[in-house]
Amino acid sequence: MNGFKQWMYNLRYKLSQFMIGRYGMDEFNKFLGFFAFILIVIGMFLRVPGLDLLILLIIIYMYFRVFSKNISKRSDENRRYLGLTYKLRNSLFNSKKRLDDMKTHHIYKCPTCKQKIRVPRGKGRIEISCPKCNTKFIKNS
Ligand SMILES: [Zn+2]
């Protein structure tokens, strides 16, 4: 083995020894890295006071988590992060579904009882009868 390969091998070995019992990467750390990256990009275009410090703190926090030996606490944080983004992802998914639905359906309100009625679009003039109070009204769908 030549010198450089030996050196790389030793480095990798030392690193793996160093990482024994340490937490390492997770989804929350990936998010922190991504967030820091976004802030760095913003910092290239905008002068935001304290932004450099914030970026530094986020990166320090990320490395602190990577090298942390308190694995159960770190995975709790990760679980909490995943729980929060699950709600966010879900609401993004639902609003996309609602947008798709708006292309094919229209929501009308009953003039009498304000009941919302979902009607398919593109049927021309139609008579809608309210399922709640039986009021009939004409709409262009
Ligand atoms: Zn009604």
Side-chain angles (χ1 to χ4, degrees):
M1 237 190 275
N2 66 41
F4 181 68
K5 262 189 184 165
Q6 182 69 49
W7 182 77
M8 281 298 287
Y9 180 80
N10 284 340
L11 186 72
R12 212 173 297 160
Y13 177 73
K14 274 182 195 155
L15 192 70
S16 68
Q17 287 296 100
F18 178 71
M19 286 308 289
I20 289 174
R22 292 176 196 269
Y23 184 61
M25 260 328 236
D26 66 3
E27 293 301 313
F28 183 43
N29 266 342
K30 281 182 203 163
F31 166 76
L32 287 174
F34 179 70
F35 189 52
F37 172 75
I38 295 291
L39 291 180
I40 289 167
V41 172
I42 289 171
M44 280 156 62
F45 297 100
L46 290 172
R47 243 176 218 293
V48 184
L51 188 66
D52 288 350
L53 184 69
L54 181 64
I55 292 165
L56 189 70
L57 287 175
I58 291 168
I59 291 171
I60 288 171
Y61 181 53
M62 189 180 103
Y63 277 103
F64 159 76
R65 295 190 74 253
V66 169
F67 298 131
S68 171
K69 287 186 171 175
N70 194 344
I71 290 171
S72 66
K73 196 161 179 216
R74 298 291 88 79
S75 35
D76 272 356
E77 289 165 359
N78 192 48
R79 218 167 302 131
R80 221 172 305 143
Y81 161 76
L82 287 176
L84 281 171
T85 51
Y86 173 75
K87 280 178 206 156
L88 184 72
R89 275 198 303 262
N90 218 32
S91 75
L92 282 176
F93 177 72
N94 282 339
S95 56
K96 194 195 174 303
K97 244 177 31 186
R98 217 172 305 136
L99 271 175
D100 285 345
D101 191 65
M102 272 171 64
K103 285 177 202 153
T104 53
H105 290 79
H106 202 113
I107 307 289
Y108 291 113
K109 258 188 200 157
C110 169
T112 314
C113 71
K114 307 294 178 213
Q115 165 77 29
K116 284 180 182 167
I117 305 157
R118 189 167 159 275
V119 178
R121 283 181 186 272
K123 301 269 185 227
R125 271 171 79 81
I126 47 166
E127 190 189 62
I128 301 162
S129 58
C130 174
K132 210 170 161 190
C133 67
N134 279 320
T135 303
K136 287 180 167 46
F137 55 103
I138 307 280
K139 285 282 182 190
N140 283 312
S141 72

